[in-house]
Amino acid sequence: MTGMLRTVHRLPASARRRRRRHAYLVLLAWLCGLLFFVPVAWMVLTSLHSETDAATNPPSLGAPLTLHGYREFFGEGSGVSPWPPLLNSLTASVVSTLLVLALAVPAAYALSIKPVRKWRDVLFFFLSTKMLPLVAALLPLYLVAQHTGMLDNIWLLVLLYTAMNLPIAVWMMRSFLAEIPVEMLEAAAIDGAGLATTLTRIVAPVALPGLAATALISFIFSWNELLFARVLTGVVAGTAPVFLTGFVTSQGLFLAKVCAAATFISLPVLIAGFAAQDKLVQGLSLGAVK
């Protein structure tokens, strides 16, 4: 131990400064992690309390635990089932994510591996579509949906979510596909591979981390979207976030039940994030976002 301490003291001043800086960064990362984790843990804990204990101020940490909030969420008292909104959210999120990937990969391939003229202008045009506030497009979209009979239709949300997430997906995939060695594509072309074969057998396996990162972000954005779902849907195509807002009633805010609903509705995103964790980190660090 004494020898190790002597070795540390013999380190140059610059090395010691780097070690201290590294220790500070590690401490900051832990603090940031706790900052994001504590509200989630508090929500889960509140969901396991009764309404009386959840409403106390300051909150009671040692209150007895109960699943009453989850039973209320599944319709024990009201008889309203959360499964139709959950299935609507799952349908809209999964189908729109698949459409986004199907459209973003060829577009990113054309803008990176086979670049078009003024490709920077094309990318800026894609990104400029995200600069319009969503509320500014709400009335035109409502009128179009009304005249086409698409109000309260889940496929309208699929189209909207696809259009909303496509610009970001093209940017992410373009940045990642630019890292693919051109020699691999040239070898595939020499072997006679067409565009479809190149995309499915050459580009897709190499770009799998980028695909996972793009798919996860598109899924999260679609799953969490509330404004369009609230205005353009009703009874049939209501999504999980819309169902969650229904717990805020004129009778008051039932905190335990709301936290139970929020916890359960957050599970698909958390499961998808953990399932694609390795690919997501690899995709975000190797060029999916720059």
Side-chain angles (χ1 to χ4, degrees):
M1 179 64 69
T2 305
M4 293 176 61
L5 292 175
R6 289 177 180 175
T7 303
V8 172
H9 286 298
R10 290 174 188 170
L11 289 174
S14 59
R16 290 198 297 270
R17 284 195 297 270
R18 284 196 299 270
R19 287 195 172 189
R20 283 196 299 267
R21 190 159 50 244
H22 177 72
Y24 293 149
L25 290 176
V26 171
L27 179 61
L28 180 62
W30 275 101
L31 290 176
C32 291
L34 289 175
L35 184 65
F36 284 97
F37 175 75
V38 168
V40 177
W42 193 269
M43 178 182 71
V44 175
L45 181 62
T46 305
S47 71
L48 297 173
H49 287 167
S50 64
E51 292 293 348
T52 304
D53 294 328
T56 57
N57 190 13
S60 176
L61 293 177
L65 303 181
T66 178
L67 294 177
H68 179 72
Y70 290 91
R71 290 195 293 266
E72 287 291 323
F73 169 68
F74 284 104
E76 183 182 73
S78 62
V80 179
S81 174
W83 290 113
L86 289 171
L87 292 177
N88 286 336
S89 284
L90 188 64
T91 301
S93 301
V94 172
V95 176
S96 65
T97 298
L98 293 176
L99 289 175
V100 164
L101 293 180
L103 296 173
V105 172
Y109 179 85
L111 292 170
S112 57
I113 299 174
K114 300 289 186 180
V116 298
R117 293 181 58 188
K118 298 184 178 180
W119 60 270
R120 287 187 176 87
D121 295 338
V122 176
L123 285 175
F124 178 77
F125 171 75
F126 275 118
L127 193 61
S128 65
T129 60
K130 301 293 294 181
M131 298 178 185
L132 179 70
L134 293 180
V135 69
L138 190 57
L139 180 58
L141 288 173
Y142 181 87
L143 295 176
V144 171
Q146 186 181 37
H147 284 85
T148 56
M150 293 289 287
L151 284 177
D152 202 13
N153 192 317
I154 193 62
W155 298 109
L156 175 63
L157 293 184
V158 170
L159 294 177
L160 290 177
Y161 294 166
T162 302
M164 289 166 53
N165 294 325
L166 187 58
I168 296 178
V170 172
W171 268 80
M172 292 180 64
M173 289 307 304
R174 190 267 163 193
S175 179
F176 191 85
L177 292 182
E179 302 293 327
I180 296 180
V182 181
E183 292 77 7
M184 294 178 58
L185 305 175
E186 292 176 347
I190 293 174
D191 292 338
L195 178 60
T197 304
T198 301
L199 289 177
T200 56
R201 296 190 179 184
I202 305 298
V203 174
V206 178
L208 187 58
L211 288 171
T214 305
L216 182 59
I217 290 177
S218 298
F219 179 84
I220 291 174
F221 285 171
S222 300
W223 184 270
N224 293 336
E225 201 281 324
L226 174 63
L227 180 62
F228 286 159
R230 181 69 176 175
V231 176
L232 300 177
T233 65
V235 179
V236 177
T239 59
V242 176
F243 182 76
L244 180 60
T245 60
F247 288 98
V248 183
T249 65
S250 59
Q251 299 175 350
L253 175 63
F254 298 95
L255 193 58
K257 185 164 62 173
V258 171
C259 288
T263 300
F264 191 85
I265 291 174
S266 302
L267 286 179
V269 174
L270 295 176
I271 293 173
F274 280 112
Q277 183 178 7
D278 295 339
K279 298 297 182 183
L280 177 63
V281 173
Q282 186 180 357
L284 294 177
S285 61
L286 292 183
V289 176
K290 285 188 177 179

